[in-house]
Amino acid sequence: MSKVIDKTINDAWLAGGRKAHKLELVRLHRNQLLRETDEYAVQDRVMSDEMKTYRENLRKIPQTYTTEEQLDELMAKDENNNLTHNVWSKP
């Protein structure tokens, strides 16, 4: 991770404890996925309904998943270290 991300995560931990730390990890991952799909949102491309829904669900994560348990579910990984929650699955 970059020093900026490390500082952001550390600041979140100091400011709000474990839940804030987890939420910051979720936001960092969500923002990366949104950046990866920004190409579908350019004006000269038609975005599928599935991609629109996927991106909308990513944007709603902080409002939808509010408890520490829900954040743990979002960040659960399989034996190959892949996130398993379906909200991360691209269409």
Side-chain angles (χ1 to χ4, degrees):
M1 277 192 214
S2 74
K3 289 183 180 184
V4 172
I5 291 174
D6 286 343
K7 181 175 180 348
T8 302
I9 291 170
N10 187 55
D11 290 349
W13 176 259
L14 294 174
R18 200 168 58 210
K19 181 179 174 186
H21 176 76
K22 290 176 183 182
L23 184 56
E24 188 60 32
L25 289 173
V26 167
R27 283 185 178 148
L28 289 169
H29 186 67
R30 178 209 55 189
N31 291 345
Q32 176 62 36
L33 293 175
L34 285 170
R35 279 191 297 278
E36 289 174 7
T37 59
D38 278 347
E39 68 183 87
Y40 297 102
V42 294
Q43 193 171 13
D44 63 339
R45 258 188 112 155
V46 177
M47 188 184 309
S48 69
D49 288 340
E50 292 84 8
M51 184 58 70
K52 289 178 188 175
T53 300
Y54 171 71
R55 289 175 54 86
E56 179 63 25
N57 288 339
L58 289 176
R59 286 192 294 275
K60 292 189 310 188
I61 284 173
Q63 295 79 30
T64 305
Y65 302 91
T66 58
T67 68
E68 193 171 340
E69 293 78 22
Q70 289 171 326
L71 295 174
D72 287 340
E73 289 175 17
L74 277 176
M75 299 307 288
K77 296 182 179 184
D78 63 16
E79 62 278 353
N80 295 319
N81 212 30
N82 298 311
L83 294 169
T84 58
H85 197 283
N86 63 358
V87 75
W88 305 121
S89 300
K90 289 182 186 174

